Amino acid sequence: MRYKDFVWPHNPRVYSIGFRRSMGADKVPFGRYALQDLGPEQRIMQGEGEFVGEDAYELFKQLATVFYSDGPGLLVHPVWQTSNAYFVELSLTQEPRADYVRYSFTFWESYDGHNTGTAVSGGTVETGQQEEGNGTGAEQWYTVVRGDTMWGIARRYGMGLTELVALNPQIKNPNLILVGQKVRVA
């Protein structure tokens, strides 16, 4: 997992995402009511983890330094989609020792549109001539936009994630793709 410039040495032990929708209830005559959908609220990403080893407390202090930095940052989890989030809570959950620190954290997703990575919007596709071999086929490249995931791009182009990863050996970590990066899709 990664947030801004901090990379966890191993993923937190517990990680959960909370989804919530605001609703309004209006009372109408004769004991009836009407519901109004006020839309989704921010997603809340929470977790618990531990740092173990002689540098455990130093790692926690580095994470605390990131907590104090202003503004939202990119939160990358290896399984869940990437989101732009604010780091809103960081707590020690036991007496820190030099070789063991247990902590909990909370992030709130910044609302600038939500993308599950499965929509067919955004990004651009470029087609170019294949330069190796006989040169009879055309390569297609997709330009990554904010919120994209390799899984979402694979789905968008009707292929499996393994196939997309095999087409893109230049991508060393499929869980970390950057806006503007080129991904080969054919």
Side-chain angles (χ1 to χ4, degrees), residues 108-124:
W108 285 8
E109 182 178 44
S110 173
Y111 184 77
D112 36 13
H114 175 67
N115 185 346
T116 61
T118 59
V120 184
S121 61
T124 58

Side-chain angles (χ1 to χ4, degrees), residues 16-103:
S16 65
I17 298 180
F19 298 85
R20 185 173 170 184
R21 178 172 297 279
S22 290
M23 298 294 290
D26 296 317
K27 185 106 169 112
V28 295
F30 308 111
R32 303 284 182 196
Y33 59 91
L35 293 178
Q36 180 182 9
D37 184 352
L38 301 174
E41 293 182 3
Q42 78 276 10
R43 290 190 309 165
I44 298 174
M45 288 78 72
Q46 296 179 305
E48 297 175 5
E50 48 203 11
F51 296 127
V52 179
E54 53 188 51
D55 63 342
Y57 195 65
E58 285 302 314
L59 284 169
F60 181 79
K61 288 195 302 188
Q62 289 174 18
L63 183 58
T65 301
V66 174
F67 172 80
Y68 284 112
S69 65
D70 290 335
L74 199 60
L75 177 62
V76 179
H77 188 277
V79 176
W80 295 94
Q81 63 263 25
T82 301
S83 64
N84 196 34
Y86 286 88
F87 199 167
V88 297
E89 184 179 348
L90 177 63
S91 302
L92 283 170
T93 57
Q94 50 74 223
E95 182 70 29
R97 298 186 330 227
D99 63 343
Y100 180 80
V101 175
R102 192 172 67 222
Y103 62 93

Side-chain angles (χ1 to χ4, degrees), residues 105-172:
F105 60 86
T106 303
F107 291 93
W108 285 8
E109 182 178 44
S110 173
Y111 184 77
D112 36 13
H114 175 67
N115 185 346
T116 61
T118 59
V120 184
S121 61
T124 58
V125 176
E126 298 174 10
T127 304
Q129 288 301 316
Q130 191 173 0
E131 295 181 14
E132 52 187 281
N134 295 339
T136 57
E139 291 181 354
Q140 286 188 341
W141 295 83
Y142 174 80
T143 303
V144 175
V145 296
R146 186 177 189 177
D148 276 339
T149 62
M150 289 290 278
W151 179 81
I153 294 169
R155 243 182 108 173
R156 183 177 298 141
Y157 289 94
M159 63 177 66
L161 180 59
T162 305
E163 181 183 357
L164 183 63
V165 169
L167 273 175
N168 292 279
Q170 79 280 9
I171 298 175
K172 302 300 180 209

